[in-house]
Amino acid sequence: MGTTQSGIHGGRLAPADYERNFSDLHPPLDRHEALVAADRCYFCHDAPCVTACPTAIDIPMFIRQISTGNPLGSARTIFDQNILGGMCARVCPTETLCEQACVRNTAESRPVEIGRLQRHATDVALAAGHPFYRRPERSGKAVAVVGAGPAGLACAHRLALKGHDVVILEAREKSGGLNEYGIATYKTVDDFAQREVDYVLSIGGIEVKHGVKLGRDFTLSDLMANFDAVFLGIGLAGVNGLDVEGENLAGVVDAVDFIAGLRQAQDKAEIPVGRRVVVIGGGMTAIDAAVQAKLLGAEDVTICYRRGKEHMNASPFEQDLATSKGVTIRHWLQPRRIVAREGRVAGVEVEYTELRDGRLSGTGEIGILAADQVFKAIGQTFAAGGLASLAMTGGRIAVDADGRTSMANVWAGGDCVRAGEDLTVTSVAQGRDAAESINRALTADTRQAVAVA
Amino acid sequence: MADLRSTFAGIASPNPFWLASAPPTDKAYNVERAFRAGWGGVVWKTLGSEGPPVVNVNGPRYGAIWGADRRLLGLNNIELITDRDLYVNLREMKQVKMNWPDRALVASIMVPCVEEEWKAILPLVEETGADGIELNFGCPHGMSERGMGAAVGQVPEYIEMVVRWCKQYTRMPVITKLTPNITDIRKPARAAHAGGTDAVSLINTINSITSVDLDSFSPEPSIGGKGSHGGYCGPAVKPIALNMVAEIARDPETRSLPISGIGGVTTWRDAAEFLALGAGNVQVCTAAMTYGFKIVEEMITGLSGWMDAKGHRSLADIVGRAVPNITDWQYLNLNYVAKARIDQDACIKCGRCHIACEDTSHQAITQFVDGVRHFEVLEEECVGCNLCVNVCPVDNCITMVGLEPGTLDRRTGKPVDPDYANWTTHPNNPMARQAAE
């Protein structure tokens, strides 16, 4: 089959190539490597890395615990703040968070490898099957959590830790949310997302119901009637359309579906990919789709982004990763229509763009990029039913600093709210903090939660 | 090019770097390699009496402590004197000395405190052509249980006695090696001097247990679950050694006595410091055992480069140069005022200076200035203690700056007094008050 045959096909590569291409992007540090890396930490006071972490993990402490031969204690330090610390160690853009803040950057332009050290400690704990947390005596309160993604899991775990009964309602077959369906395969290998879910749930007191969807199988009112509190961690289920001619042609695919399909595929050779692939978008999803298309054996993969490099949501690290894998990133190009031949994609007609008086406009210069597959990666949108009159802002659920929504006893967090960056670690922080807020409300006599204005 | 040639207690060597009596100098094979690498001399691993040699343990002989990146900071050992036959050693020493006539070859000796024993071994050593002998009064483990090594070095009278025997029965220069496992190093040094020693060498190793295995609860090194104290050496002991060398160098009774400086010499800088504090040469062991013999190249080029840069032409220009600057605490100038200063361009904002000062010292370093993370010395609180300098991970980022006489010390609100004043005359000193009355 090979990489040069036109059209969209699976099995472009030899089995060993798939294995190599989809193995761990950052292999784990072994014990010696971890000790050497840990030695570089200065144990800063009021450390900038902690401030930069959305979950405020005590990074100098967990690294010191690694260097003193106490990896389980280290993992405990991490999990106390971030129960999904294992996945965050794999997917956090550390180069723009903790590692960017590391004082070693000032000292010698190379930060402590915080992400990899965090993975080392959490791997040790998961391998040891050490639970750390057990549900205390039951409080008699019950909370519904909608969505088993990072926000929902973090919220559920913290609620269980407080003794509340938790029921998670998840629309998909598996728990994990984007950790399971939305992250490039080479960032989380060996079914780590499910192992982490099992670890989180091992605290006890959390029931997960799969295949039940808000708006279809139940409504927010149902939950409010049956639970003491509700947490919505429903993410962004919708995908933005290109709104151009030919969008519905065979060969035009939502990047998120492509990424999810890859994650779920036992045999990566089953996933069809074009010879020439154009990815439209400039975020992490665009990068993940483009890189993986290349790794599946596409001959030519081009990311088209309608603004400049500096405007891309994908981090510089991710952009470099893409280009190192042979992906071409082109800027200042917007799609005008998908070109068809015999009912299938044959190319993308694009137009150069520029900023004119601060507004993005087409220059009128038009060309065609040949393509037999097009990925749409121009952002996800909030899409959910059954929420009645819940207040929204900027197209997402409005919350206060504690994660309270406009409705009494309803909290929300993660990508479905308009707050913070759309990162796993941000979702964990919001889920965790909402749980603390819920707990305060549930334990504060009979006082009702106050709605946001 | 500086002249590194050394004459120590009458023994000439092309440079002042000798290998100390220890495993690296136990046989011709090693010593030949050392000389090829450039070492100026060796003190051959300690010889014992004629007859069946001592035996060593058959398990671990060494324990260690490490710094960051597992850099070896301190080593201890429970090895005894040479466990090879006396005559094998003597034969090899003779051959090596013939092969390397320009290098110093000194025999370390440890026999029981009996005159006949010393009288018997000295001619045998002399016959090898060795340049001198070193009396091992320092080994703190094993041999000391048998009344030798440190057991002698801890009794000044024995030191003096044995040194006298040696001076009586050999023409070779006598170097007396001292144990640090004693309260006042001047006492054994004075005793050796009284006995007529040509030089002293110090320090030998320090009684130590390097660690405890927290599974077996055995000290390290562990011999089948049991351990014994060993002799501690390496970079960690250098400050102890420097002080003891200085104590002897500035003692009125022993100040003329040549000193061979030993204890944690790892780089040319260490060596230069020993020389400055009065050592005529240095002996090295742990650094060679950690990195191999090649390190002497760095020591030679480093010392020579520094001497050239500073205009020191020979070792005589630097030996003892720091000795006049060692004094008693009571004579330190209490009118000298220093303040820490943080180079903001070099600061990486780790905050270690702040927390060290805030938690454990004088609350003299800011964490925030105008809401921004910024570490700055508050001169009105700074007592100039130097802790921040020592905990800062960036070389030369924080420095101590002496205030010029007449400038305002913002801590006391007074100008810096230009005159020297010490504790002996300070009004808070009860002895000074008595003297004044």
Side-chain angles (χ1 to χ4, degrees):
Chain A
M1 180 66 66
T3 58
T4 56
Q5 182 168 356
S6 70
I8 304 177
H9 309 284
R12 288 184 180 273
L13 304 174
D17 294 329
Y18 287 109
E19 179 121 349
R20 188 177 58 245
N21 287 353
F22 291 94
S23 61
D24 224 331
L25 179 63
H26 300 293
L29 297 173
D30 67 20
R31 186 173 161 276
H32 168 74
E33 290 171 312
L35 290 175
V36 172
D39 270 345
R40 296 187 66 242
C41 177
Y42 283 139
F43 201 76
C44 295
H45 169 66
D46 190 12
C49 54
V50 180
T51 311
C53 175
T55 55
I57 293 170
D58 190 344
I59 294 164
M61 183 58 73
F62 94 67
I63 294 178
R64 188 172 173 84
Q65 288 167 312
I66 290 174
S67 53
T68 59
N70 182 13
L72 287 178
S74 174
R76 172 79 197 239
T77 299
I78 295 161
F79 291 144
D80 277 351
Q81 288 296 104
N82 181 339
I83 193 63
L84 298 182
M87 184 61 83
C88 289
R90 288 162 169 78
V91 304
C92 262
T94 51
E95 68 279 3
T96 62
L97 296 171
C98 53
E99 291 180 17
Q100 185 181 55
C102 178
V103 301
R104 284 274 191 177
N105 283 313
T106 316
E108 64 251 15
S109 306
R110 193 166 69 86
V112 175
E113 291 181 282
I114 299 168
R116 296 182 81 193
L117 285 164
Q118 180 167 319
R119 176 169 172 187
H120 175 78
T122 52
D123 277 358
V124 169
L126 256 66
H130 204 298
F132 292 124
Y133 310 99
R134 282 282 173 250
R135 188 166 68 133
E137 197 176 329
R138 293 172 66 182
S139 68
K141 304 283 185 182
V143 182
V145 170
V146 187
L153 288 169
C155 182
H157 187 269
R158 186 56 64 101
L159 288 168
L161 196 60
K162 306 290 185 185
H164 309 308
D165 288 330
V166 183
V167 176
I168 301 181
L169 302 150
E170 167 58 47
R172 304 184 86 145
E173 276 175 44
K174 294 183 186 174
S175 301
L178 289 180
N179 286 359
E180 176 58 38
Y181 295 100
I183 289 163
T185 300
Y186 48 77
K187 289 182 187 168
T188 167
V189 300
D190 300 332
D191 208 20
F192 178 76
Q194 287 311 301
R195 288 193 286 127
E196 186 173 54
V197 167
D198 293 343
Y199 182 77
V200 171
L201 298 180
S202 70
I203 187 173
I206 304 173
E207 181 193 355
V208 187
K209 293 182 176 168
H210 290 108
V212 285
K213 186 174 179 182
L214 178 65
R216 183 187 70 194
D217 304 312
F218 61 92
T219 64
L220 183 54
S221 319
D222 298 337
L223 300 179
M224 291 167 72
N226 292 303
F227 291 90
D228 297 297
V230 178
F231 175 80
L232 299 171
I234 54 182
L236 300 173
V239 176
N240 284 324
L242 294 174
D243 213 14
V244 299
E245 179 193 327
E247 183 167 0
N248 298 316
L249 285 167
V252 181
V253 184
D254 284 332
V256 290
D257 293 339
F258 170 69
I259 291 165
L262 250 173
R263 277 292 297 282
Q264 299 306 311
Q266 291 302 311
D267 179 4
K268 306 305 177 204
E270 288 172 5
I271 302 294
V273 69
R275 178 176 67 176
R276 285 192 283 238
V277 175
V278 170
V279 181
I280 297 167
M284 300 292 246
T285 303
I287 298 278
D288 280 358
V291 169
Q292 295 192 106
K294 190 74 191 164
L295 296 176
L296 283 172
E299 182 192 18
D300 180 80
V301 179
T302 302
I303 291 175
C304 270
Y305 180 53
R306 61 188 181 143
R307 292 173 186 268
K309 179 178 170 65
E310 65 277 20
H311 304 108
M312 288 181 77
N313 274 331
S315 69
F317 172 83
E318 293 286 332
Q319 295 179 44
D320 289 348
L321 175 72
T323 52
S324 77
K325 299 293 183 190
V327 171
T328 304
I329 302 179
R330 297 191 61 177
H331 303 101
W332 304 109
L333 284 180
Q334 67 183 7
R336 280 174 51 97
R337 67 185 177 98
I338 310 295
V339 180
R341 187 185 301 140
E342 293 166 7
R344 296 194 58 83
V345 170
V348 182
E349 184 180 293
V350 293
E351 178 183 16
Y352 277 100
T353 57
E354 63 184 0
L355 280 177
R356 220 179 287 147
D357 304 326
R359 287 174 55 93
L360 191 73
S361 336
T363 64
E365 194 179 348
I366 288 167
I368 290 182
L369 298 174
D372 30 34
Q373 193 175 28
V374 174
F375 289 126
K376 297 186 286 183
I378 57 169
Q380 286 93 269
T381 54
F382 183 85
L387 291 173
S389 60
L390 195 69
M392 306 287 287
T393 178
R396 303 195 200 182
I397 300 169
V399 288
D400 69 7
D402 279 359
R404 292 169 194 263
T405 69
S406 62
M407 288 189 185
N409 301 331
V410 179
W411 282 256
D415 290 352
C416 68
V417 304
R418 178 60 73 188
E421 284 188 88
D422 291 343
L423 297 173
T424 304
V425 65
T426 311
S427 296
V428 171
Q430 290 170 349
R432 175 198 71 189
D433 295 346
E436 290 288 347
S437 175
I438 292 169
N439 179 61
R440 283 194 297 276
L442 293 182
T443 52
D445 299 324
T446 55
R447 280 181 54 194
Q448 290 276 299
V450 180
V452 288
Chain B
M1 186 73 178
D3 182 0
L4 293 190
R5 282 178 303 171
S6 159
T7 302
F8 179 80
I11 303 167
S13 60
N15 62 55
F17 303 109
W18 292 8
L19 283 170
S21 170
T25 60
D26 192 26
K27 54 186 187 296
Y29 180 84
N30 305 76
V31 175
E32 287 275 352
R33 288 179 67 86
F35 283 158
R36 278 199 294 278
W39 290 89
V42 302
V43 182
W44 203 275
K45 171 103 173 163
T46 305
L47 309 173
S49 303
E50 194 175 342
V54 302
V55 295
N56 273 300
V57 294
N58 295 298
R61 300 175 191 187
Y62 306 112
I65 65 160
W66 298 271
D69 223 359
R70 224 178 130 83
R71 188 170 286 240
L72 191 142
L73 296 182
L75 185 72
N76 98 340
N77 83 89
I78 56 167
E79 185 172 295
L80 302 182
I81 62 174
T82 183
D83 54 10
R84 304 193 314 147
D85 183 79
L86 174 64
Y87 288 96
V88 171
N89 276 307
L90 293 171
R91 216 162 37 238
E92 290 185 5
M93 286 165 62
K94 186 171 186 173
Q95 185 61 48
V96 169
K97 183 62 199 176
M98 277 168 59
N99 295 349
W100 299 89
D102 71 321
R103 308 301 169 93
L105 195 155
V106 171
S108 173
I109 305 174
M110 181 196 290
V111 294
C113 265
V114 176
E115 188 170 358
E116 290 309 311
E117 291 271 2
W118 289 93
K119 192 176 173 183
I121 197 168
L122 291 171
L124 302 177
V125 172
E126 203 168 296
E127 200 275 327
T128 65
D131 297 296
I133 58 170
E134 184 179 78
L135 313 185
N136 182 340
F137 294 159
C139 253
H141 50 270
M143 303 310 289
S144 54
E145 296 169 15
R146 306 171 200 179
M148 292 178 271
V152 180
Q154 287 162 342
V155 184
E157 294 79 2
Y158 289 177
I159 295 173
E160 184 177 343
M161 175 178 76
V162 178
V163 170
R164 274 192 204 288
W165 294 337
C166 292
K167 287 307 292 178
Q168 185 180 343
Y169 295 119
T170 180
R171 58 164 175 77
M172 295 182 288
V174 174
I175 304 166
T176 305
K177 188 166 180 177
L178 303 180
T179 175
N181 299 306
I182 191 161
T183 329
D184 184 349
I185 197 65
R186 293 173 301 181
K187 301 289 163 58
R190 286 171 187 164
H193 187 51
T197 196
D198 297 284
V200 290
S201 56
L202 72 160
I203 59 173
N204 205 308
T205 56
I206 303 172
N207 288 341
S208 56
I209 292 171
T210 48
S211 61
V212 175
D213 185 310
L214 293 178
D215 293 318
S216 66
F217 289 106
S218 168
E220 297 285 352
S222 172
I223 308 296
K226 301 272 186 196
S228 169
H229 79 260
Y232 194 47
C233 53
V237 312
K238 186 186 102 175
I240 297 166
L242 283 178
N243 174 59
M244 289 187 166
V245 165
E247 285 291 286
I248 294 170
R250 74 188 188 97
D251 182 47
E253 279 191 45
T254 55
R255 66 165 44 131
S256 61
L257 197 57
I259 303 169
S260 186
I262 311 170
V265 176
T266 309
T267 69
W268 71 267
R269 286 179 177 278
D270 301 325
E273 291 170 23
F274 272 95
L275 297 177
L277 282 175
N281 73 1
V282 293
Q283 296 185 32
V284 177
C285 173
T286 309
M289 291 184 73
T290 310
Y291 303 109
F293 289 144
K294 192 181 175 187
I295 54 161
V296 74
E297 280 177 39
E298 175 276 318
M299 294 181 177
I300 290 169
T301 56
L303 182 64
S304 165
W306 168 71
M307 287 172 66
D308 287 345
K310 299 290 180 181
H312 305 303
R313 282 169 301 187
S314 70
L315 297 180
D317 287 355
I318 54 174
V319 170
R321 284 286 291 272
V323 175
N325 296 329
I326 315 284
T327 183
D328 294 344
W329 192 98
Q330 62 183 334
Y331 300 122
L332 296 176
N333 183 6
L334 296 174
N335 284 339
Y336 173 77
V337 181
K339 302 284 181 188
R341 185 173 295 163
I342 300 173
D343 176 349
Q344 296 299 333
D345 292 333
C347 176
I348 62 171
K349 299 188 166 48
C350 70
R352 294 247 303 260
C353 56
H354 164 79
I355 201 60
C357 193
E358 191 71 16
D359 276 354
T360 71
S361 293
H362 301 91
Q363 297 77 49
I365 298 179
T366 64
Q367 180 182 1
F368 295 102
V369 173
D370 298 331
V372 178
R373 191 172 171 88
H374 183 88
F375 302 95
E376 199 170 275
V377 176
L378 303 168
E379 285 204 6
E380 57 273 28
E381 303 295 339
C382 178
V383 304
C385 76
N386 209 37
L387 178 65
C388 54
V389 173
N390 293 327
V391 303
C392 177
V394 179
D395 187 34
N396 239 4
C397 172
I398 311 181
T399 45
M400 298 304 299
V401 180
L403 297 190
E404 290 296 320
T407 55
L408 180 70
D409 176 352
R410 283 154 67 181
R411 187 173 70 87
T412 59
K414 293 176 187 160
V416 174
D417 193 327
D419 296 328
Y420 165 86
N422 65 41
W423 176 245
T424 61
T425 55
H426 195 279
N428 288 16
N429 180 352
M431 307 293 279
R433 271 209 307 277
Q434 268 176 23
E437 283 160 9

